[in-house]
Amino acid sequence: MKRTISALARNEPGVLAKMAGEFGRYAANILSLAAGETENPEVSRIVACIEGDDAAIDAITRHLEALDTIIQVDDLSRNDFVDRELVLVKVEMDPARTAQLMQVFEVFRASVVGMGRETITVEMAGDQGRVEGLIHMLKPYGIKSLCRSGMIALKRGDE
């Protein structure tokens, strides 16, 4: 099962390593991991999209809550949440198919951020489904390189 865990942690060295270690301890696969400062520079938000059985993920959540560097843990999968991911994709540019390629970029609202003689690089931010859709549509054109930021997420609404 795929779950999204969000943790508020003290902004200290080693916190991310401790958290990732808990996932490994219970054989949960990390699909995406993103971390960064919050509105308080002493606190970081770590968002992990992980895959594993429910019992293992519940155990991981309990162990994370017990760590002295972790302030709060939320299983966003149990709530309505907003997520975004940034993707950069470098695609082969065939002059005969450039117009088609530009239409794909337009449909997904991807922005051209770099051009070479043989490739074009675009960026797009969106939820994971939209990112997956862009990648799927660009595969036939020849993806040369791809980089994803990892999912960031917050609970929807006033919580």
Side-chain angles (χ1 to χ4, degrees), residues 4-154:
T4 302
I5 305 295
S6 174
L8 291 176
R10 289 189 183 82
N11 199 357
E12 299 174 2
V15 172
L16 188 59
K18 282 182 188 176
M19 190 171 172
E22 288 297 320
F23 298 138
R25 226 172 105 185
Y26 289 91
N29 185 32
I30 299 172
L31 302 172
S32 168
L33 187 63
E37 282 185 0
T38 64
E39 65 283 357
N40 178 349
E42 295 178 6
V43 176
S44 289
R45 181 176 304 278
I46 302 166
V47 178
C49 185
I50 56 178
E51 192 170 50
D53 66 58
D54 284 338
I57 295 172
D58 290 340
I60 290 166
T61 303
R62 284 192 305 277
H63 280 91
L64 290 176
E65 288 171 338
L67 294 175
D68 60 344
T69 53
I70 302 296
I71 299 165
Q72 178 182 343
V73 178
D74 287 312
D75 183 347
L76 296 180
S77 309
R78 299 175 191 267
N79 299 295
D80 191 19
F81 66 95
V82 178
D83 68 287
R84 292 293 179 268
E85 183 175 9
L86 175 67
V87 64
L88 293 169
V89 187
K90 186 178 287 191
V91 184
E92 288 180 25
M93 191 168 57
D94 175 5
R97 294 172 53 174
T98 302
Q100 291 172 319
L101 195 54
M102 296 307 248
Q103 285 179 334
V104 172
F105 299 159
E106 187 177 326
V107 165
F108 284 91
R109 292 187 297 277
S111 301
V112 175
V113 294
M115 261 179 129
R117 287 189 298 270
E118 299 175 2
T119 61
I120 187 167
T121 304
V122 296
E123 71 176 2
M124 188 198 71
D127 62 31
Q128 284 190 322
R130 198 160 149 238
V131 169
E132 291 290 337
L134 176 67
I135 293 167
H136 176 75
M137 292 301 292
L138 293 179
K139 278 184 182 177
Y141 294 93
I143 294 175
K144 300 295 279 181
S145 187
L146 183 139
C147 184
R148 296 173 76 161
S149 65
M151 182 198 333
I152 58 171
L154 287 173

